Amino acid sequence: MNAMTPRAKFPDSEKITINLGYVDLGQIDLLVQEGFYANRTDLIRTAIRSQLERHNDAVKKSVARHDLDIGLRHYSRQDLETARSHREVIHIQVLGLVTLATDIDAELARATIGSIRVLGALQAPAELKAALADRIH
């Protein structure tokens, strides 16, 4: 339940693939060629950020309504063992990135994690994702 430390070795972004029509792609290339953007990715990232800024108030209201934590959240084995010792069940709700430590076993995860809702990305060993599949929304 700790915020990520700067030393953590997790990427700060995730690669996505989008499909664009050839005319749209050509227009992007033209803007890059004319020096408006450094490359295609620069334009697409700028466009996405512009849209996110445009809808910032709606996002803030939705985050509050859904009671989401924002940012990077890392859960260690110790975090889950502490929860288990206090007979607590953790409900993870994050807009951003959630990581589960590689030394967490499936039994501990199922005993302490009631649900996981991540808008962004979840990084965890495959066996943990499989063990928690019914709790990931």
Side-chain angles (χ1 to χ4, degrees):
M1 301 191 298
N2 302 322
M4 296 293 299
T5 62
R7 289 180 231 163
K9 300 281 186 196
F10 298 105
D12 64 351
S13 62
E14 184 165 322
K15 184 176 182 177
I16 64 169
T17 301
I18 61 171
N19 296 320
L20 292 173
Y22 296 115
V23 172
D24 293 337
L25 194 57
Q27 290 176 347
I28 291 170
D29 287 344
L30 182 63
L31 289 170
V32 170
Q33 179 182 318
E34 294 295 321
F36 288 93
Y37 298 94
N39 52 45
R40 291 174 174 176
T41 301
D42 184 33
L43 180 143
I44 293 165
R45 187 180 304 112
T46 300
I48 290 170
R49 288 178 179 159
S50 174
Q51 287 300 303
L52 291 173
E53 181 61 32
R54 180 177 179 190
H55 298 288
N56 189 41
D57 288 342
V59 169
K60 284 181 180 178
K61 289 176 186 174
S62 186
V63 165
R65 186 173 61 251
H66 293 285
D67 195 28
L68 298 168
D69 290 334
I70 298 176
L72 310 175
R73 297 290 182 262
H74 177 71
Y75 292 85
S76 68
R77 179 179 187 87
Q78 182 61 47
D79 293 329
L80 299 189
E81 287 175 346
T82 299
R84 181 168 57 184
S85 71
H86 290 102
R87 294 191 169 114
E88 296 175 350
V89 175
I90 300 169
H91 296 278
I92 300 169
Q93 295 195 132
V94 173
L95 185 150
L97 172 67
V98 171
T99 60
L100 300 177
T102 58
D103 63 346
I104 297 171
D105 62 61
E107 179 210 345
L108 177 60
R110 289 197 57 80
T112 56
I113 298 174
S115 63
I116 300 176
R117 180 168 180 232
V118 180
L119 299 170
L122 169 64
Q123 291 181 349
E127 60 273 7
L128 280 184
K129 286 184 177 181
L132 296 170
D134 62 328
R135 298 169 191 207
I136 298 173
H137 308 283

